[in-house]
Amino acid sequence: MARALELPNYIGHLIRRAEQVHTALWSEHVSREITSQKFAILNALSRDPGIDQRTLGRRTSLDRSTVNHMVRRLIDLNLVSQERDEADRRRTLLALTGEGAELLDSLIAPAERINELLLGSLPPDERAVAVDVLTRLASLNDGALRGDT
């Protein structure tokens, strides 16, 4: 008989389950059309308009192909604009359109509520610890996961 893990004690399984919970809450309370990854792109462009796609990938911890696909979709939806960098014609700079900024603004409060709901499921003295642990886990091998190495 093959060995098997006790999944309830396996961190990868728990992370995947937590992501499923977040995705379900996001779809129900924030948006069915704009995923949390697309939200991260819109948010990053709001914080730092005029960045290139490679920088956007680093800021959102998304790999190049995912960022490329999502940016194309957001451009098609007229939520993101692109223009050539006059200083370096090889680069394309990205920014929110007016529609993109309005949409992001409408999603901020529900996204904050999801964050509060998830953290609110923990005792107050464990919330900062949970964020710290997840931050450390999420930053493991960042460069390799994004394809930067």
Side-chain angles (χ1 to χ4, degrees):
M1 183 151 122
R3 258 182 58 200
L5 295 172
E6 291 294 327
L7 290 180
N9 298 322
Y10 186 63
I11 191 73
H13 174 73
L14 295 171
I15 290 169
R16 184 182 62 77
R17 287 289 298 126
E19 176 61 19
Q20 287 176 325
V21 169
H22 175 264
T23 299
L25 290 171
W26 185 274
S27 180
E28 183 179 344
H29 297 287
V30 180
S31 176
R32 293 185 195 278
E33 294 79 32
I34 301 299
T35 63
S36 62
Q37 293 88 353
K38 288 178 185 167
F39 174 85
I41 289 173
L42 296 174
N43 193 69
L45 292 176
S46 178
R47 293 180 63 89
D48 198 2
I51 59 176
D52 62 56
Q53 203 162 290
R54 175 176 267 190
T55 304
L56 180 60
R58 282 193 306 268
R59 301 264 164 84
T60 57
S61 298
L62 296 168
D63 65 78
R64 291 179 196 165
S65 63
T66 300
V67 169
N68 183 50
H69 174 74
M70 289 187 180
V71 165
R72 295 287 143 242
R73 181 76 180 118
L74 293 169
I75 288 170
D76 290 347
L77 293 171
N78 195 38
L79 301 173
V80 171
S81 66
Q82 63 180 349
E83 68 177 52
R84 285 277 172 222
D85 182 351
E86 293 301 321
D88 180 351
R89 302 287 294 163
R90 296 170 294 176
R91 289 178 60 203
T92 300
L93 305 179
L94 303 168
L96 290 181
T97 63
E99 283 181 54
E102 285 180 29
L103 176 63
L104 176 63
D105 191 50
S106 74
L107 297 176
I108 294 284
E112 288 176 328
R113 282 194 298 275
I114 295 300
N115 195 58
E116 291 167 6
L117 179 63
L118 290 168
L119 286 175
S121 69
L122 301 172
D125 61 326
E126 293 180 11
R127 294 172 189 168
V129 172
V131 171
D132 180 59
V133 167
L134 289 171
T135 299
R136 284 189 277 146
L137 288 173
S139 66
L140 289 174
N141 207 18
D142 262 352
L145 294 175
R146 284 193 315 269
D148 292 346
T149 59

